[in-house]
Amino acid sequence: MSIADILDRKDVSWMDGSGPDSDIVISSRVRLARNLYKFPFPHLLNDTTGAEVMQQISQAVNRSKDKVIKGLELVTLDTLSALDRKILMEKHLISPEHAIASEPYRGLMVDKKGSLAVMINEEDHLRIQCLLSGLQLNQAYKYAQTVDDALEKLLDYAFSEKMGYLTACPTNVGTGMRASVMLHLPAMALANQISSVVQSITQVGLTVRGMYGEGTEAEGNLYQLSNQVTLGQTEEDIINNLWVITVQLATQERNLRERLQKEIKYQIEDKVMRSYGLLTNARLLTSAEALSLLSDVRMGIEMGILSPVKREVLNQLIVAINPSHVQKAAGRELEPRERDIKRAEIIKEKLLAS
Amino acid sequence: MSIADILDRKDVSWMDGSGPDSDIVISSRVRLARNLYKFPFPHLLNDTTGAEVMQQISQAVNRSKDKVIKGLELVTLDTLSALDRKILMEKHLISPEHAIASEPYRGLMVDKKGSLAVMINEEDHLRIQCLLSGLQLNQAYKYAQTVDDALEKLLDYAFSEKMGYLTACPTNVGTGMRASVMLHLPAMALANQISSVVQSITQVGLTVRGMYGEGTEAEGNLYQLSNQVTLGQTEEDIINNLWVITVQLATQERNLRERLQKEIKYQIEDKVMRSYGLLTNARLLTSAEALSLLSDVRMGIEMGILSPVKREVLNQLIVAINPSHVQKAAGRELEPRERDIKRAEIIKEKLLAS
């Protein structure tokens, strides 16, 4: 399995719905920001110095006898089409910023399942990310750490005894770690509890964002929860803090769903079934509407209202409805109206087949 | 076949979608208002005089050797439950006013197919109504006339050489006839042409009303078109005038549908399919929403967008979604919320079975 396979496959590891608490926690992600000693940070690189960084890293990877490193495939962004980079972004393997870059000194390493993705020369020289299904923050951290340790043996990291890992942006200095979970909170949204939750979460040092990270809006009742602070806390503290809050929110969401099913059973079933009816019949669907309807259906599946549809199909669809995936499926560039038509076809087919 | 059968059956003659221009003209109706000489009009009847009128009519019917009269079944309203009277009203066989009456001197005669219904002691002593599928005004008039002629042989009608047939309400004096058609005009409604159509129709002596006649609103893009004048025009003139306008409107509606399918094919298909998706999946449906969605689906069937569903199923559903039909199907009285649940079940079942 290679990057080409990942581009062709509908699912990568985090979508499979197999992880703990997958009814509410779609995925867990840990990323470590690392930089090479003696090189300028990526935003100051030129073609020559950028190529040197890339060479250092690729040589280290090639030289490594570590099993986990040997399982990684490295590509430079210039070898990927703009559409394919966006596909990788929509699958959450690279950032929106990395998706619009195409210099040969920028790159990506992935493992076979697509659960590990290392961006090269994005904001930092190395961004080691592990993305797993459900609530698996510890496992994600361990996997990222293994890769980090193996690379550290071969590369000179920029590290200060006093500050920790040095990074391009000061907000990442220290552990260089950001841990996040993607949560599906439709019942809380229905009960208008999101804004108060966001408020109290901010007070404990966490940030709430939309599905595609910083600057994106929360669509489809999907919220990305992450740590704000990287300095003065150990990795374990950061992960534990996020884990506790996540478990708490998942419990709250589950309790609310139960209450809804008791108190307004028919309205909830009606909402879910109407959304399913629209998704399986509409001829035109924008991604925003589709995401909102998929949110209802995903909740309906977890509540047993729509039992025949599988959770992983919903997780796949959350990604498959994005513009680049829709165009990849059509095999050509599409006008927005054509995308809405193709998107409706994809959704209908996937839902009715599952 | 009897009134009991009509109450149990989902369809009566006018719903079967077999008549000419049934894509747009749901039904044609002709009714003749007749009164007996020497009796006060129904609103002045008491139990005694009312019973005398009823006796005159029932004796005439029993005595008649006319085939069409012998095919009629007569019941008095006191023998029908309140629910059954409403069922007959929802099937358009009796008026809303007749449905809330239960005196034994008020009654109803129907033929086996439910295409002829004579109300006894409604606003007039006799209201002979013929209701046929599609655009069949002449046929409806002929059928009503046959019954009228047969009854006139046995009863003394209140008739003035100068004024024509005398009726309780002066607006019916003369021919005593009202002819109407029920039209389905969703494309005109979409194109915002209804109000200008209503205006020009009023100028040629016709009235536009909702589905259940005077005082009811036009829901589901269903419009009842009828003559306003009964005096100074022959029956043939009235029918011909209405027929010409109906053919004109049907042509206009058809042309508009063709244009929509050319110019906004996907939006139209999307609208139709979404409505179908909601009707086959919703758990709660009010009659107003159901009627509006059924209107889209009916148009979709006629435009070939939703080919597997049959026209008569849609016509039946337009009636079957009404409160009394829904309660009859449930076998008991239902709260509004329970009706919405049962209505959604009925619609889903009928549409998916067809």
Side-chain angles (χ1 to χ4, degrees), chain A residues 10 14 56 91 151 184 189 192 270-271 283 341 345:
Chain A
K10 281 173 204 96
W14 68 266
Q56 290 261 330
K91 287 189 199 293
L151 289 175
H184 185 221
N192 288 320
D270 188 53
K271 187 173 170 60
R283 297 278 282 133
I341 297 168
E345 284 172 15

Side-chain angles (χ1 to χ4, degrees), chain A residues 36 39 45-59 76 103-106 120-121:
Chain A
L36 305 192
F39 284 96
L45 288 175
N46 58 33
D47 286 354
T48 315
T49 51
E52 283 174 48
V53 173
M54 176 55 86
Q55 204 186 7
Q56 290 261 330
I57 294 168
S58 64
Q59 277 178 357
T76 55
E103 293 91 343
Y105 64 84
R106 299 193 200 265
I120 299 169
N121 288 328

Side-chain angles (χ1 to χ4, degrees), chain A residues 212-230:
Chain A
Y212 286 95
E214 213 165 332
T216 65
E217 264 195 67
E219 286 185 314
N221 304 313
L222 295 169
Y223 300 89
Q224 203 185 84
L225 212 67
S226 63
N227 65 307
Q228 202 150 24
V229 180
T230 54

Side-chain angles (χ1 to χ4, degrees), chain B residues 310-354:
Chain B
K310 287 184 200 119
R311 180 189 290 162
E312 67 253 42
V313 172
L314 264 286
N315 289 353
Q316 287 164 10
L317 276 174
I318 288 168
V319 170
I321 60 170
N322 284 291
S324 302
H325 272 78
V326 170
Q327 294 182 92
K328 183 97 180 170
R332 63 184 181 91
E333 226 179 285
L334 300 175
E335 297 293 311
R337 166 54 52 94
E338 293 177 306
R339 285 211 292 270
D340 293 347
I341 296 170
K342 183 67 187 170
R343 182 178 294 113
E345 284 172 15
I346 291 169
I347 293 172
K348 185 180 175 175
E349 196 193 317
K350 281 284 273 179
L351 283 180
L352 294 182
S354 82

Side-chain angles (χ1 to χ4, degrees), chain A residues 278-333:
Chain A
L278 289 176
L279 286 171
T280 51
N281 284 282
R283 297 278 282 133
L284 298 171
L285 282 167
T286 63
S287 54
E289 188 191 6
L291 204 53
S292 153
L293 298 172
L294 285 170
S295 170
D296 293 340
V297 168
R298 194 181 196 280
M299 177 179 72
I301 295 167
E302 301 303 340
M303 290 170 83
I305 295 168
L306 245 171
S307 39
V309 184
K310 288 183 199 117
R311 180 189 289 164
E312 68 253 43
V313 171
L314 264 286
N315 289 355
Q316 287 164 11
L317 276 174
I318 287 168
V319 170
I321 61 170
N322 283 293
S324 302
H325 272 78
V326 170
Q327 294 182 90
K328 182 99 178 168
R332 63 185 181 91
E333 226 179 287

Side-chain angles (χ1 to χ4, degrees), chain B residues 28-279:
Chain B
S28 300
R29 176 212 295 261
V30 168
R31 71 110 168 100
L32 303 171
R34 300 291 185 256
N35 288 279
L36 305 192
Y37 178 60
K38 281 192 185 161
F39 285 96
F41 288 126
H43 63 281
L44 297 173
L45 289 176
N46 56 34
D47 285 354
T48 318
T49 51
E52 282 174 49
V53 172
M54 177 55 87
Q55 204 186 7
Q56 290 260 331
I57 293 169
S58 65
Q59 277 178 355
V61 167
N62 289 335
R63 236 183 294 135
S64 176
K65 282 170 184 146
D66 197 294
K67 207 180 133 196
V68 68
I69 301 295
K70 287 167 83 77
L72 299 179
E73 181 191 358
L74 190 154
V75 290
T76 56
L77 293 193
D78 61 325
T79 65
L80 296 171
S81 70
L83 183 67
D84 283 348
R85 292 195 304 272
K86 280 188 201 144
I87 293 272
L88 292 170
M89 186 265 279
E90 290 173 356
K91 287 190 199 293
H92 296 271
L93 298 181
I94 66 175
S95 64
E97 293 73 27
H98 218 42
I100 55 170
S102 60
E103 293 92 344
Y105 64 82
R106 300 191 200 266
L108 171 68
M109 294 190 278
V110 290
D111 71 353
K112 288 181 178 157
K113 288 175 154 185
S115 54
L116 192 99
V118 182
M119 289 190 286
I120 300 169
N121 288 328
E122 200 247 18
E123 191 179 291
D124 296 293
H125 295 145
L126 288 165
R127 288 218 157 178
I128 304 161
Q129 316 166 88
C130 179
L131 195 54
L132 298 176
S133 162
L135 183 51
Q136 299 198 67
L137 283 168
N138 276 313
Q139 293 85 334
Y141 174 53
K142 258 184 215 161
Y143 193 176
Q145 204 182 17
T146 309
V147 175
D148 184 37
D149 289 348
L151 289 173
E152 196 160 18
K153 283 180 201 156
L154 306 155
L155 294 164
D156 269 347
Y157 276 174
F159 183 83
S160 139
E161 284 299 332
K162 201 176 151 199
M163 310 264 280
Y165 292 101
L166 301 179
T167 55
C169 177
T171 60
N172 290 315
V173 168
T175 58
M177 184 174 95
R178 176 148 281 148
S180 68
V181 286
M182 181 84 74
L183 302 178
H184 184 223
L185 305 175
M188 275 193 216
L190 254 179
N192 289 319
Q193 297 188 356
I194 295 293
S195 64
S196 73
V197 161
V198 169
Q199 224 173 358
S200 56
I201 278 171
T202 311
Q203 285 167 1
V204 295
L206 298 179
T207 311
V208 183
R209 293 190 176 123
M211 201 181 163
Y212 286 93
E214 215 164 333
T216 65
E217 261 193 69
E219 285 184 314
N221 303 314
L222 294 168
Y223 300 88
Q224 205 185 83
L225 212 68
S226 63
N227 65 306
Q228 203 151 22
V229 180
T230 53
L231 200 64
Q233 276 192 310
T234 65
E235 286 85 347
E236 287 73 17
D237 285 344
I238 292 170
I239 282 182
N240 195 50
N241 186 19
L242 182 58
W243 186 88
V244 167
I245 299 290
T246 302
V247 168
Q248 206 172 308
L249 286 176
T251 308
Q252 202 174 330
E253 171 72 18
R254 268 183 217 115
N255 290 344
L256 256 177
R257 290 184 188 181
E258 231 171 273
R259 250 186 63 195
L260 292 175
Q261 204 149 23
K262 263 187 211 146
E263 291 172 12
I264 50 165
K265 176 177 154 67
Y266 280 103
Q267 286 100 308
I268 285 294
E269 290 187 16
D270 188 53
K271 186 173 172 58
V272 168
M273 293 309 300
R274 280 171 183 256
S275 293
Y276 181 76
L278 289 175
L279 287 170

